[in-house]
Amino acid sequence: MKLTINQKIKVNSLKNLIIQHPDYLHALETIEEAYLLKEQGDLPQSFLCIGQSGTGKSTLKSTMSKLYPRKSDGEREIIPVLTLDTPSQPTIKGFAEEMLIHLGDPLPHKGTQINMTNRILKLIKSCGVKLMIFDELQHFIENRKDPSKPSDVADWFKTLIEKSKVSVVLMGLERSHQIIDSNEQLRRRFSKTIDLRPFNLFDNNMRNSFLGILRKLDEEVGLPTRIDLTDKSLVKSIYFATNGIIDYMVKLFIGAYELALLNGEKYLSKDCFKSAFVNRIWNKGLGKLNPFEDDFVQERLDKVGMPFHLSKNAYSERISL
């Protein structure tokens, strides 16, 4: 049995679903405020947005680009929000080229460091940039012998930010704090931090948000029968299968939905979730390592080789609900 065209379209729509939970809305409001303060009051803001992969940083970035899209006034391109991923191995020239490309410079690879920097600053002004969002900040410290020491590219980047006189949001994984901590001026400028944390089922303040997202995902799937969110065992299994990370929650539900459609089921069964975990999240998640098996180890899957290795959590590994 295969999915119909309409079913495939529905599955694809779920991939683009944005769940507007409280932490996401707070982060979006803060970023938009930084944009508006520069646009309306010439008061540029700077802050750091930190979170594990899959917690919503890329979604925030794309949402801001959609809220304030590029446009042309006939003579030039207006770029209210400039978004850029830090190159995987950043150098001053490589970073400058990337910025010039995104700013529409006709010869982004040409010029000396000073010339390229001056062109970047000129284009930021002429293109009406109000907010710059730089993602993957951790690339500044990866592949370096001593991440605690400042680098030339970080110093250049800091100077560029200061001279741009626009609002700036730096995004990255938790270890991105190292690049800020290693530079006093950056530390002072980016003292404000937004932390996009995974949901924690065992934190009373976050539990309702986690359950609310499960409810929203189930509603968006739209099968005739809802999953039972009073089933503590099922809810805990979903939590361990996703580590509370929203991107994995969406992937798990999409995988379970596809299997339910193929099997002609009227709701997302435990067996659907069990197979979806293997297909969508961890292909080695079998037997005791599958949260939907009765003999699951009841531990977070964050050891070396597991899907959530390096995911931080302040709570103990063995937890009862």
Side-chain angles (χ1 to χ4, degrees), residues 26 83 158 161 229 240 247 274 302:
H26 170 67
T83 63
K158 172 205 65 179
I161 289 173
L229 292 180
F240 279 122
D247 184 55
K274 182 194 303 183
D302 56 4

Side-chain angles (χ1 to χ4, degrees), residues 68-117:
Y68 302 98
R70 293 176 177 234
K71 56 188 177 182
S72 175
D73 65 359
E75 296 182 357
R76 57 177 181 162
E77 186 175 26
I78 305 300
I79 309 174
V81 177
L82 178 68
T83 63
L84 186 73
D85 287 346
T86 304
S88 57
Q89 294 185 324
T91 62
I92 294 175
K93 182 173 176 60
F95 209 127
E97 287 179 0
E98 196 71 18
M99 289 196 70
L100 287 169
I101 289 171
H102 281 73
L103 286 164
D105 187 276
L107 298 170
H109 309 298
K110 302 292 184 179
T112 64
Q113 176 182 319
I114 294 175
N115 175 262
M116 295 172 83
T117 303

Side-chain angles (χ1 to χ4, degrees), residues 116-150:
M116 295 172 83
T117 303
N118 288 336
R119 280 153 52 204
I120 289 171
L121 293 171
K122 184 177 179 180
L123 284 167
I124 286 173
K125 185 175 182 179
S126 65
C127 291
V129 176
K130 301 295 186 293
L131 170 69
M132 296 192 294
I133 302 176
F134 297 95
D135 201 358
E136 307 293 352
L137 184 65
Q138 70 276 358
H139 288 167
F140 274 110
I141 56 175
E142 291 174 343
N143 304 315
R144 284 174 52 194
K145 292 182 179 179
D146 188 352
S148 65
K149 292 183 178 180

